Amino acid sequence: AARRRDESVGASEALGSATVEPLGLPDGSLFSSLDRLRAAIERVVPERGPDLLLVPSPLESTDDHRAAFAALHQVLSGLRPGDPLADSLAELRVLAYEVNHPAHPDLLVDVSGERAAIERAMAFYRSQLDRHPYLDAAIGLRRWRVPSDRRT
């Protein structure tokens, strides 16, 4: 757990992101902790006030990726007008991203100019890259999505 926390902190710093707040949830079995994950989302997102939130696609093959999406979906789909949480998230834009499995996007964002930063950030996830070539999968999906004359 400490190694994974350190990896996420390093990756976040490499991207110039805000602080990482480890939740202490069980790695590899987030579905068993959906209530705690939902509670953390309900607390952290309004505190930070982001205008953009990125979440793994619900089509991902990794259970924890799907659990992250499920928790966020449960939070957002339960909101009703007039709910203080709904009001605080009114301007929030949520985008799902592909990791291992192609999704059915209604928006594609060209991240070609960010490839070096993505590679630097992904290099921190040694424990994951030792198990699966996540960076290769991400680059492969990008190549599949981008016309051949624009590939890098």
Side-chain angles (χ1 to χ4, degrees):
R3 180 179 182 192
R4 293 289 301 278
R5 183 188 62 242
D6 292 345
E7 290 171 345
S8 66
V9 168
S12 180
E13 289 173 355
L15 293 172
S17 296
T19 59
V20 172
E21 184 176 332
L23 301 176
L25 301 176
D27 185 34
S29 57
L30 281 182
F31 272 114
S32 68
S33 302
L34 279 183
D35 289 340
R36 291 173 53 201
L37 186 52
R38 274 195 323 266
I41 292 168
E42 289 171 342
R43 177 182 53 81
V44 171
V45 172
E47 281 177 5
R48 301 277 171 88
D51 57 359
L52 174 64
L53 187 61
L54 301 173
V55 64
S57 162
L59 300 177
E60 283 304 319
S61 56
T62 305
D63 285 344
D64 280 358
H65 292 172
R66 289 194 319 273
F69 180 90
L72 181 62
H73 183 266
Q74 288 175 8
V75 168
L76 297 179
S77 65
L79 297 178
R80 300 293 175 259
D83 177 335
L85 182 58
D87 293 342
S88 71
L89 301 179
E91 300 299 316
L92 180 65
R93 184 173 188 187
V94 178
L95 297 179
Y97 60 90
E98 302 167 320
V99 178
N100 286 302
H101 191 282
H104 305 285
D106 60 0
L107 172 69
L108 290 174
V109 177
D110 183 0
V111 295
S112 299
E114 304 305 321
R115 182 170 172 171
I118 292 167
E119 290 175 353
R120 279 193 306 276
M122 285 299 299
F124 282 92
Y125 288 108
R126 290 297 342 149
S127 69
Q128 297 308 293
L129 295 173
D130 289 346
R131 294 176 47 219
H132 180 76
Y134 284 101
L135 180 59
D136 292 342
I139 298 302
L141 281 170
R142 184 192 165 282
R143 285 186 178 136
W144 182 62
R145 294 260 183 229
V146 177
S148 61
D149 63 332
R150 293 186 48 222
R151 291 182 186 161
T152 58

